[in-house]
Amino acid sequence: QVQLVESGGGSVQAGGSLRLSCAASAYTTSSSCMGWFRQAPGKEREWVASIYRGGGITDYANSVKGRFTISQDNDKSTVYLQMNSLKSEDTAIYYCAAASPRLGGGCSRLPESYKYWGKGSQVTVSS
């Protein structure tokens, strides 16, 4: 069982920055991949970014590439999402999630592949 606790959400004006943190209770095979997802009102949950914790390999959705950065601390206990140049369309509840790596390697972009989820953190960007 892996527990995930997010922190760092809030409200910011467009163009501003926020950093989300996700503290994981354990680093196991079932949490080798850590992903950030978001869900806006009336929309489906969408993948934002992921990191393969073993090698630090990252992957980003096109909508956030160049603006968001996913990273982890040295002991791999916490994963971060640095969000810069925020836009109103980034407004959503952000969730961190953990999963095993895909059979072919790398991390999935699909929510259903992630077994453990945090409770979510609200990010609101005003224009």
Side-chain angles (χ1 to χ4, degrees), residues 50-101:
S50 57
I51 184 168
Y52 176 62
R53 298 163 81 187
I57 300 169
T58 59
D59 191 17
Y60 297 93
N62 287 336
S63 59
V64 306
K65 197 173 292 184
R67 299 189 298 123
F68 290 12
T69 302
I70 188 171
S71 63
Q72 60 183 348
D73 59 9
N74 289 336
D75 64 3
K76 300 180 178 64
S77 63
T78 303
V79 173
Y80 305 97
L81 185 69
Q82 177 67 42
M83 304 182 291
N84 298 329
S85 302
L86 282 161
K87 305 175 182 180
S88 57
E89 51 263 45
D90 295 318
T91 295
I93 299 174
Y94 283 71
Y95 299 89
C96 70
S100 301

Side-chain angles (χ1 to χ4, degrees), residues 39-44:
Q39 188 165 18
K43 295 188 176 181
E44 293 186 353

Side-chain angles (χ1 to χ4, degrees), residues 6-55:
E6 301 115 337
S7 60
S11 298
V12 66
Q13 289 192 327
S17 298
L18 285 172
R19 189 177 80 159
L20 300 177
S21 300
C22 176
S25 62
Y27 174 38
T28 66
T29 300
S30 60
S31 63
S32 294
C33 286
M34 294 290 290
W36 286 99
F37 294 79
R38 66 187 181 186
Q39 188 165 18
K43 295 188 176 181
E44 293 186 353
R45 190 168 298 190
E46 66 170 342
W47 169 77
V48 174
S50 57
I51 184 168
Y52 176 62
R53 298 163 81 187

